[in-house]
Amino acid sequence: METPLVIGIVTAFWFFVGAVLPVLLQFFMWRSPNKGIYQIMLILTAVCCYIFWLTAYLCQLNPLFGPQLSVDMIRFMQMEWK
Amino acid sequence: MTLCQLFLQSEASYAVVSELGELGIFQFKDLNMKVNAFQKKFVSEVRRCEEMERKLRYIEKEIKKEHLKIPDYGENPKAPAPKEMVDLEATFEKIESELREVNTNAEALKRNFLELTELREVLRKTQTFFTAQGQEMSNIVGEAQHALVHDEGTTSGQAVQLGFIAGVIPREKVPPFERMLWFACRGNVFLRYEEIQQSLEDPQTGEPKIKAVFMIFFQGEQLKARVKKICEGFKAALYPCPESSQERQEMFRGVTTRLEDLKTVLNQTEDHRRRVLVGAQKEIRSWIIKVEKIKAIYHTLNMFSFDISHNSLIAEGWCPIQSLEDVRRVLKDGEKLSGSTIPSILHPMKTHETPPTFFKTSRFTQGFQNIVNAYGIATYEEVNPAPYAIITFPFLFSVMFGDAGHGTLMFLFGLWMVLKEKSLLAAKSNNEIWNTFFGGRYIIMLMGLFSIYTGMIYNDAFSKSFNIFGSAWKSNYTEGDMMGDGETATLVFDPAKYYRDSTPYPFGIDPIWQSAKNKITFLNSFKMKMAVILGISQMLFGVCLSVFNHLHFKIVIAIFCEFLPELIFLLALFGYLIFMVYYKWLVFDVTQSGCAPALLIQYINMFMFKYDPPKSDCDVQATFYPNQQTIQTVFVIAAVASVPVLLLVKPFYLRSVHNKKVLAKNALGALSTDALIPNEHTSEQSTSKNVTHVETPSVSGEGSSDIEMGTQPPPAPEKDTNENGKSQSKQNGGDDMKDINLSVNNIEDTSAMVLAHDDDEEEFEFSEIFIEQAIHTIEFCLGCISHTASYLRLWALSLAHAQLSEVLWNMVLHIGLSMDLPYIGSLIIFAVWMAWANLTIAVLLVMEGLSAFLHTLRLHWVEFQSKFYRGEGYIFLPFSFKHILDIDSLDELK
């Protein structure tokens, strides 16, 4: 899968969770005393999870060295993982 | 939160306090702290309550003895009025005395029953003993005679009269009894015993005991006396046993009938006792609740002060402003209940005291608020870190725990506790460990949920990876490349050839790394950088939260001279580090892998301003983007410059504000001549020391001298005039002080004189403020560095967890799975799986879970909260029956 596509999808998802949903909650739950908690939870979840995913993705984007596998494993991989 | 006074009529006070206890939103202050406990007003009522409690405990014990369960209908009766208390007392008294009587009677009856049973057994056994030998009673006697007389050698067959006694003795005591008899009577008595088959119930303890019937034959009066004494010593019960068979049978019949009667009476007594207990059983729970409520009400009433002139009680307490209406309504209800005509008054007061801190929590947020409170209760009106901890706490835990399989188990455990909440709450357990886990059920559930997420990103589930999207590393080695022993020979994949075009595995770490021998090298780099990134982000968040504090307490100066320098310091140094990490990841790939900048060296060079020209075409220590030198220099200088700003601006600013205020006040206030003299006096004193702390009479008001040296009027009305809505932050000290001396001299030295004004209590002590700011600066700057390093525990623990998990797999389950035995293999794998599962739960879930929980706690309390949280408040503990009775099921009734 292409890099920009993957980044775009995941960013869009967490943007929806962390920015769009709280705004929606602002309107649909504006009377509830728990609205603030839900908004904080959504935003924090989105930020934390997105940063985590992004770091894991970016660190593998341009690897400077590759995995060192035993020869058996390589043979097996070539058989199983087409 | 406001301090209120309640004026209650004496008749209405009980009902009002009862209603307030049901409402549970008012915290009473103890106005009678100095009064001896036995001199308080309602001490006799409290004593009566204790007496009632004692009776109830006795009744409860009796009910439990009968193995009756106390039903829990979940009712919550209100505290009864004082007149009903007398009725309750009478009821309890009646039940208790009845129970005691029944118990005593039952005991006596049982004792009687036991004696008769034993007697019957004795008769029966002797009967069988004698008749078994047929009509040869004389033979028996002769035999016994022989046995006894044999030693003495008299052969004259003199007819000696043998006596015997019969009794019952516990079976355990028979051997020593026998021995004692032998020794004491020198072998001249003959003992025969036989066990009673059924066990008899001991009347006192109710335990079944096995006893034996014995018969002792002896000759002569002396031996009889001796034998009797021995029997007494062994507590054997002796029973008169007639000699002739006929008498015995008559006695037997008589005893049997008496036994039958006694049994009926005993049964009836038991029934009566049971009936009394069943009658009490239905009501006892609500009685216990009522008595506890009454006692709580009287304890509270003891805290009020009694106003004799108006026959009213005055109470003081804290109440949230939102709930004032509820309290007023409750007051009216109380009045109506007690039928009092004079209304009770609720009067909010203004005070300088710090109110207690109160956060409204639901059962979900309660757990997280508890975590925050364990470190320190939030200062009044300060930012509460708990809502943020709801997510950041489980998230940081999951970074350290990062295993999807273990996360699933933890999530399911938490989910079970949450779904079964009601029934688990109702089964009130005393086990502390269980209660701790149960109290954190939402936390555990969230931790498990996030662990599943981070486990998927780490691609680690029970130390195995998922390959959902296809690995990004494609190998097409030929057989010629793959020479050597299959297991030990290795090849390293070159990213240039075997990496799928810069399109990494879309979600998480590539599954190929799980089988790689250099997995740890790669993961270390990734996890360390992740830890630092997360840590700096959380610290940044903490610094930003402090803005809310500054805005709320209206210390605008703090935004410019605390928040901004802190932000600049953090971002310029550590934010830049994060930028470099991401830049290197994005820009440098394997074609330049020899030249990729060594971030560590670059960072050090930045601080040392060392920018040597590149030694070769490919120098890892040279700058790697244009204008790097300029940018880095600017950042370092900005960061270093922000330190003195953080250190110096605020204290001096506060001092100048304070001086201006003093000038202004002196310009307005007319100087009276008598004030000048003390002014000159104090100015001489002050110049001699750097910092002085002198109390003088104030300029304004003649009555001021009284106020200084005489009694202080009660704080509340005094402070009214000067209350200007400022909270009790420490930095606030300077703004309210008046310096009287300014008209005479200017303040030339660096310290300010501190004088207590009659209506101001706060002092401006420059050195204190300066030292405090210095400590804050040092703490922040050094803290930034050390806390960033401290966040590396996120890496360390996740590495440890992954390694432990792998060890368990390799050393335990793998061995079981790779055995090649046809049928026994399945048994072996069964046993091996059990070992693996137990170790997983014990070591990886419980031990690692607790460890990661602890480290997350530390990260929150120290690294995160030190950026904005002071935690110097005290908690709001309202008078609430729910808290006192600990009936959590009431939560759902409301």
Side-chain angles (χ1 to χ4, degrees):
Chain A
M1 294 174 76
E2 294 304 321
T3 305
L5 184 64
V6 171
I7 294 188
I9 293 177
V10 179
T11 311
F13 174 73
W14 287 120
F15 179 76
F16 175 74
V17 169
V20 173
L21 275 185
V23 169
L24 286 181
L25 280 185
Q26 182 71 26
F27 292 119
F28 288 119
M29 273 182 79
W30 65 288
R31 264 188 219 274
S32 158
N34 292 330
K35 168 191 71 161
I37 293 278
Y38 288 135
Q39 285 175 324
I40 291 179
M41 281 173 69
L42 281 170
I43 297 175
L44 276 175
T45 312
V47 167
C48 290
C49 293
Y50 182 61
I51 292 182
F52 202 69
W53 173 85
L54 190 69
T55 311
Y57 192 78
L58 291 181
C59 92
Q60 296 182 97
L61 202 54
N62 297 315
L64 298 177
F65 62 93
Q68 177 187 18
L69 296 171
S70 70
V71 165
D72 265 354
M73 190 63 73
I74 296 179
R75 283 203 193 99
F76 191 71
M77 264 179 59
Q78 284 184 193
M79 263 192 339
E80 293 290 325
W81 289 356
K82 278 296 174 290
Chain B
M1 184 77 59
T2 165
L3 187 64
C4 311
Q5 264 182 334
L6 284 176
F7 296 93
L8 306 168
Q9 294 305 113
S10 297
E11 310 96 52
S13 60
Y14 181 91
V16 164
V17 172
S18 165
E19 290 295 317
L20 278 177
E22 299 287 337
L23 187 61
I25 202 71
F26 199 91
Q27 174 179 348
F28 287 101
K29 273 170 87 167
D30 192 350
L31 299 170
N32 292 332
M33 280 214 274
K34 299 201 184 64
V35 177
N36 186 358
F38 293 103
Q39 289 168 355
K40 293 201 178 160
K41 192 162 179 294
F42 294 95
V43 73
S44 59
E45 275 84 357
V46 172
R47 230 183 256 133
R48 279 164 67 194
C49 289
E50 301 253 319
E51 187 60 33
M52 283 200 282
E53 269 188 341
R54 187 192 60 80
K55 293 195 183 113
L56 280 175
R57 272 200 295 275
Y58 175 71
I59 300 175
E60 197 178 346
K61 204 166 62 128
E62 291 296 314
I63 291 182
K64 285 214 171 78
K65 252 201 227 163
E66 277 296 300
H67 304 291
L68 293 170
K69 233 176 62 117
I70 300 180
D72 186 348
Y73 303 117
E75 75 257 3
N76 181 26
K78 287 212 180 149
K83 14 190 199 310
E84 281 174 44
M85 205 165 109
V86 182
D87 294 336
L88 276 180
E89 275 179 324
T91 320
F92 298 159
E93 179 68 45
K94 192 167 77 91
I95 298 183
E96 193 207 1
S97 60
E98 250 188 81
L99 276 178
R100 278 201 202 276
E101 215 185 294
V102 163
N103 281 347
T104 336
N105 285 349
E107 200 174 318
L109 283 174
K110 277 199 185 112
R111 203 181 303 268
N112 220 354
F113 185 77
L114 183 71
E115 279 175 20
L116 285 178
T117 320
E118 285 176 359
L119 179 57
R120 189 177 69 167
E121 288 300 315
V122 165
L123 288 174
R124 190 188 281 157
K125 292 275 190 283
T126 51
Q127 185 72 9
T128 50
F129 176 56
F130 282 129
T131 51
Q133 315 299 327
Q135 306 297 331
E136 299 139 12
M137 167 73 161
S138 47
N139 268 15
I140 307 301
V141 177
E143 234 183 84
Q145 227 174 325
H146 268 284
L148 290 174
V149 175
H150 188 88
D151 299 333
E152 298 190 352
T154 53
T155 50
S156 61
Q158 226 175 344
V160 183
Q161 196 54 5
L162 271 189
F164 73 95
I165 57 170
V168 173
I169 191 172
R171 184 185 60 180
E172 308 82 66
K173 292 200 189 158
V174 169
F177 185 54
E178 215 177 332
R179 259 202 303 276
M180 180 64 111
L181 275 178
W182 182 261
F183 282 133
C185 309
R186 280 180 236 135
N188 286 331
V189 297
F190 178 61
L191 168 75
R192 195 188 155 100
Y193 66 91
E194 201 175 314
E195 241 176 66
I196 304 179
Q197 297 309 94
Q198 51 167 151
S199 62
L200 304 167
E201 196 187 313
D202 184 48
Q204 266 176 325
T205 60
E207 277 170 19
K209 277 189 160 166
I210 302 190
K211 302 199 178 171
V213 176
F214 66 86
M215 286 198 314
I216 305 178
F217 294 91
F218 47 77
Q219 182 187 6
E221 284 307 313
Q222 273 190 341
L223 277 179
K224 182 176 182 178
R226 209 176 283 176
V227 165
K228 271 219 172 107
K229 264 210 195 96
I230 296 175
C231 292
E232 261 174 49
F234 275 85
K235 292 206 179 48
L238 296 174
Y239 295 102
C241 192
E243 305 241 347
S244 77
S245 163
Q246 204 173 353
E247 278 178 34
R248 271 205 299 277
Q249 288 197 346
E250 256 181 58
M251 201 174 190
F252 188 75
R253 276 192 293 271
V255 165
T256 317
T257 18
R258 272 166 63 197
L259 264 180
E260 301 286 329
D261 293 339
L262 202 53
K263 212 170 172 61
T264 341
V265 174
L266 205 54
N267 281 344
Q268 277 177 351
T269 319
E270 287 285 312
D271 279 342
H272 177 64
R273 186 182 119 105
R274 212 187 161 77
R275 249 176 293 133
V276 170
L277 285 177
V278 165
Q281 173 202 31
K282 294 192 196 66
E283 308 258 327
I284 190 158
R285 187 169 174 273
S286 83
W287 285 337
I288 292 178
I289 295 178
K290 281 186 187 164
V291 169
E292 278 196 48
K293 284 191 178 176
I294 299 177
K295 197 162 95 151
I297 295 178
Y298 279 118
H299 272 306
T300 313
L301 284 176
N302 270 339
M303 294 202 268
F304 296 179
S305 70
F306 185 61
D307 185 5
I308 302 186
S309 54
H310 299 112
N311 190 28
S312 61
L313 289 166
I314 306 178
E316 255 184 41
W318 296 100
C319 179
I321 299 185
Q322 282 178 323
S323 315
L324 278 179
E325 275 314 306
D326 287 332
V327 174
R328 287 207 176 91
R329 180 180 45 89
V330 152
L331 283 182
K332 282 206 193 53
D333 288 345
E335 279 163 40
K336 260 193 293 206
L337 271 178
S338 62
S340 151
T341 48
I342 308 170
S344 316
I345 306 174
L346 170 75
H347 173 235
M349 305 192 305
K350 285 205 166 72
T351 172
H352 264 218
E353 266 179 68
T354 319
T357 315
F358 175 53
F359 292 116
K360 250 199 209 144
T361 52
S362 66
R363 57 172 195 254
F364 171 60
T365 52
Q366 179 68 41
F368 300 98
Q369 189 67 51
N370 282 344
I371 294 181
V372 170
N373 284 349
Y375 179 71
I377 311 283
T379 318
Y380 185 62
E381 293 194 331
E382 185 182 45
V383 164
N384 181 16
Y388 310 105
I390 297 180
I391 293 294
T392 59
F393 189 91
F395 179 68
L396 285 185
F397 173 89
S398 70
V399 172
M400 291 195 258
F401 198 68
D403 186 313
H406 303 147
T408 316
L409 291 175
M410 191 177 267
F411 172 64
L412 290 176
F413 176 54
L415 191 66
W416 169 74
M417 281 199 287
V418 168
L419 290 179
K420 290 270 169 222
E421 207 172 36
K422 287 209 180 67
S423 57
L424 288 173
L425 265 176
K428 286 181 208 115
S429 157
N430 280 330
N431 190 346
E432 277 237 20
I433 298 182
W434 165 253
N435 281 339
T436 312
F437 276 109
F438 183 69
R441 56 196 179 276
Y442 287 102
I443 308 178
I444 293 179
M445 195 176 83
L446 278 179
M447 293 196 304
L449 201 54
F450 275 100
S451 295
I452 300 179
Y453 179 75
T454 56
M456 296 304 290
I457 299 243
Y458 284 154
N459 220 341
D460 188 356
F462 297 119
S463 84
K464 294 289 142 212
S465 291
F466 292 105
N467 187 0
I468 305 176
F469 300 97
S471 170
W473 298 85
K474 295 277 182 279
S475 82
N476 42 18
Y477 286 108
T478 61
E479 270 304 319
D481 295 329
M482 298 195 272
M483 305 284 276
D485 178 28
E487 280 183 11
T488 50
T490 60
L491 288 171
V492 182
F493 281 48
D494 182 357
K497 287 194 263 178
Y498 301 108
Y499 189 58
R500 175 180 74 190
D501 260 341
S502 277
T503 49
Y505 192 72
F507 191 74
I509 301 288
D510 201 296
I512 200 172
W513 289 106
Q514 190 64 33
S515 339
K517 304 247 188 270
N518 56 351
K519 164 175 83 160
I520 303 227
T521 318
F522 174 71
L523 283 183
N524 274 358
S525 159
F526 159 61
K527 286 184 180 174
M528 278 187 176
K529 291 174 180 167
M530 169 73 78
V532 167
I533 291 172
L534 286 177
I536 296 174
S537 311
Q538 196 180 32
M539 291 200 288
L540 192 59
F541 182 47
V543 170
C544 293
L545 279 181
S546 72
V547 181
F548 290 119
N549 271 345
H550 298 322
L551 282 176
H552 179 83
F553 295 126
K554 296 195 183 33
I555 319 172
V556 180
I557 177 67
I559 300 184
F560 292 108
C561 67
E562 266 188 19
F563 169 65
L564 275 182
E566 286 179 356
L567 196 66
I568 292 175
F569 186 84
L570 195 57
L571 284 180
L573 295 180
F574 299 100
Y576 180 65
L577 179 64
I578 299 183
F579 163 73
M580 281 206 292
V581 165
Y582 277 118
Y583 187 82
K584 180 174 168 186
W585 276 343
L586 285 170
V587 169
F588 290 88
D589 67 4
V590 67
T591 52
Q592 313 148 297
S593 70
C595 319
L599 288 182
L600 200 56
I601 314 280
Q602 300 268 353
Y603 205 54
I604 296 176
N605 285 346
M606 175 170 117
F607 282 100
M608 299 205 308
F609 293 106
K610 192 168 108 174
Y611 298 102
D612 295 332
K615 293 194 181 57
S616 63
D617 205 9
C618 184
D619 187 0
V620 295
Q621 300 185 13
T623 59
F624 55 93
Y625 65 89
N627 298 326
Q628 183 176 353
Q629 181 170 353
T630 330
I631 295 180
Q632 284 187 181
T633 319
V634 165
F635 279 161
V636 175
I637 293 183
V640 172
S642 67
V643 174
V645 171
L646 185 58
L647 175 67
L648 296 173
V649 172
K650 191 161 154 199
F652 284 104
Y653 176 80
L654 286 175
R655 196 177 78 129
S656 74
V657 161
H658 163 88
N659 289 351
K660 275 198 215 115
K661 275 206 188 143
V662 162
L663 260 176
K665 177 167 168 77
N666 261 10
L668 291 178
L671 296 168
S672 50
T673 46
D674 52 331
L676 268 177
I677 299 164
N679 278 347
E680 283 167 359
H681 200 61
T682 54
S683 72
E684 283 166 42
Q685 284 178 331
S686 77
T687 48
S688 58
K689 310 185 211 161
N690 245 358
V691 176
T692 54
H693 186 146
V694 178
E695 287 192 38
T696 62
S698 69
V699 175
S700 61
E702 305 79 6
S704 56
S705 43
D706 301 340
I707 293 177
E708 274 310 311
M709 290 172 284
T711 55
Q712 284 280 354
E718 271 300 314
K719 293 186 179 76
D720 266 355
T721 57
N722 274 322
E723 176 65 48
N724 49 12
K726 285 222 167 99
S727 83
Q728 314 293 313
S729 68
K730 283 200 213 117
Q731 271 72 15
N732 210 7
D735 297 344
D736 284 343
M737 275 326 295
K738 321 274 180 268
D739 187 338
I740 301 160
N741 200 23
L742 204 55
S743 58
V744 183
N745 348 345
N746 283 324
I747 297 192
E748 57 258 36
D749 48 70
T750 51
S751 61
M753 274 200 355
V754 177
L755 302 162
H757 198 258
D758 62 340
D759 45 8
D760 272 334
E761 207 180 72
E762 296 152 35
E763 304 160 355
F764 184 78
E765 178 103 26
F766 181 72
S767 67
E768 238 180 63
I769 293 187
F770 189 78
I771 290 178
E772 206 196 292
Q773 193 67 18
I775 293 178
H776 179 86
T777 306
I778 296 176
E779 221 179 17
F780 179 77
C781 297
L782 287 185
C784 269
I785 303 169
S786 82
H787 292 167
T788 307
S790 172
Y791 273 100
L792 283 173
R793 71 187 72 216
L794 293 175
W795 155 65
L797 261 91
S798 91
L799 180 68
H801 190 95
Q803 290 301 97
L804 272 174
S805 181
E806 207 176 302
V807 158
L808 271 190
W809 166 264
N810 282 339
M811 301 292 162
V812 182
L813 206 52
H814 181 71
I815 294 184
L817 284 173
S818 59
M819 283 199 180
D820 217 355
L821 310 167
Y823 295 102
I824 311 176
S826 60
L827 290 174
I828 295 184
I829 191 67
F830 182 78
V832 165
W833 190 89
M834 189 180 77
W836 178 83
N838 280 328
L839 280 174
T840 298
I841 292 187
V843 171
L844 284 172
L845 279 180
V846 173
M847 187 189 88
E848 276 285 316
L850 284 175
S851 164
F853 184 90
L854 183 74
H855 282 288
T856 311
L857 213 54
R858 180 251 152 69
L859 281 179
H860 272 76
W861 283 350
V862 177
E863 275 80 13
F864 176 53
Q865 287 179 188
S866 67
K867 303 286 178 286
F868 66 97
Y869 189 66
R870 280 210 313 278
E872 290 162 348
Y874 63 104
I875 196 163
F876 179 66
L877 283 172
F879 172 64
S880 156
F881 287 136
K882 194 163 77 85
H883 285 160
I884 297 174
L885 295 169
D886 210 26
I887 308 178
D888 281 349
S889 52
L890 288 184
D891 216 329
E892 278 74 54
L893 286 177
K894 281 195 184 158

